[in-house]
Amino acid sequence: MLSGSPDVPCGSEWTIVSKRADMTFPLKKLRQQAQRIAKIMAMIGCIALSVHSPVTRAEQPSEYRLKVAFLYNFIAYTEWPEQQSLNLNFCIYGDDPFGEHLQHLRGKKTSEQEIVIQHKNTIEDLAACQIVFISRSVIHDLGTILNQLNEKPILTISDSPNASLQGVVINMSIKEGKVTFEANIARAKRNGLKLSSQLLRFASEVYQ
């Protein structure tokens, strides 16, 4: 979950805090849920504003800097089966489009697990990952990749057309200058993952 107030300033960093036990009073639970939703709305609104702001190209965050912010929240709002590992291995398969922007993700924590960035060169190596970003450079082999990861607790993410329809759990795209995403919850369930309803409400498409 995201810490801080619901008003998230553009360019700010988001941090993960541990999940809390349910509060006793329903009013407090409702207030907490409203704050969470407001934070996600602020995040998406902030990113959309960054894309549309009338500033010079040098001042605008790049497409992949914005997508890193989304990656962080995809991970935070996904539940894995109980794991003993202290790390969440975020693996990039294929060419790395994020470059230096991954520094904003490296070392972050979710549910007390640290996000560790790795680059993998073979499909067989992906079984050791909890999150796999499938680069456009290897999307031609998507069927083989998904078959290898089928029914494993791995969150697959990409940014290629129609990837979620083919079985990628979350697929990002740029539409009208905004970063949007689709979600395939049928594949997520098959892989033993649970995507938060608070995240899914902002998806442009949800495949069930």
Side-chain angles (χ1 to χ4, degrees):
M1 291 174 286
L2 304 176
S3 66
S5 65
D7 297 322
V8 182
C10 293
S12 65
E13 295 300 325
W14 297 290
T15 57
I16 300 294
V17 297
S18 301
K19 296 178 180 177
R20 299 178 180 175
D22 289 342
M23 301 182 73
T24 302
F25 299 101
L27 180 59
K28 290 184 178 179
K29 291 178 68 176
L30 290 172
R31 184 178 301 156
Q32 185 181 50
Q33 184 177 26
Q35 289 176 340
R36 291 172 185 164
I37 293 172
K39 289 168 187 174
I40 301 177
M41 293 178 67
M43 174 197 76
I44 293 176
C46 178
I47 291 175
L49 179 61
S50 297
V51 174
H52 287 292
S53 295
V55 295
T56 66
R57 182 177 299 274
E59 294 173 325
Q60 286 184 340
S62 74
E63 172 185 341
Y64 282 96
R65 172 64 184 94
L66 299 175
K67 286 181 177 178
V68 165
F70 273 80
L71 290 175
Y72 180 66
N73 287 281
F74 295 152
I75 297 170
Y77 283 88
T78 297
E79 291 184 18
W80 278 262
E82 186 174 351
Q83 301 180 68
Q84 301 301 320
S85 174
L86 296 177
N87 298 328
L88 283 174
N89 294 324
F90 176 88
C91 303
I92 297 175
Y93 183 55
D95 295 342
D96 180 359
F98 301 102
E100 64 181 8
H101 302 306
L102 280 178
Q103 66 181 319
H104 300 287
L105 189 64
R106 182 175 287 108
K108 298 290 187 181
K109 287 189 175 183
T110 174
S111 299
E112 301 304 319
Q113 292 178 293
E114 183 175 335
I115 299 172
V116 176
I117 309 296
Q118 299 182 1
H119 294 78
K120 300 295 184 182
N121 297 317
T122 68
I123 294 178
E124 290 73 23
D125 290 339
L126 300 179
C129 309
Q130 283 74 49
I131 308 103
V132 173
F133 180 84
I134 303 169
S135 172
R136 293 175 183 173
S137 67
V138 296
I139 204 67
H140 62 277
D141 206 17
L142 182 59
T144 303
I145 297 168
L146 294 178
N147 285 337
Q148 180 72 22
L149 304 181
N150 189 39
E151 297 186 357
K152 292 182 173 65
I154 297 174
L155 174 64
T156 51
I157 305 173
S158 66
D159 63 346
S160 298
N162 302 315
S164 279
L165 279 172
Q166 298 178 64
V168 172
V169 177
I170 295 178
N171 185 55
M172 294 181 286
S173 60
I174 300 290
K175 294 182 180 179
E176 298 179 355
K178 300 178 183 179
V179 178
T180 65
F181 66 93
E182 303 170 321
N184 188 324
I185 60 175
R187 180 57 66 110
K189 290 177 181 178
R190 188 184 304 174
N191 290 1
L193 306 175
K194 182 179 180 181
L195 303 183
S196 169
S197 59
Q198 297 175 17
L199 176 67
L200 292 174
R201 65 182 293 159
F202 294 104
S204 59
E205 293 286 347
V206 176
Y207 304 106
Q208 304 194 45

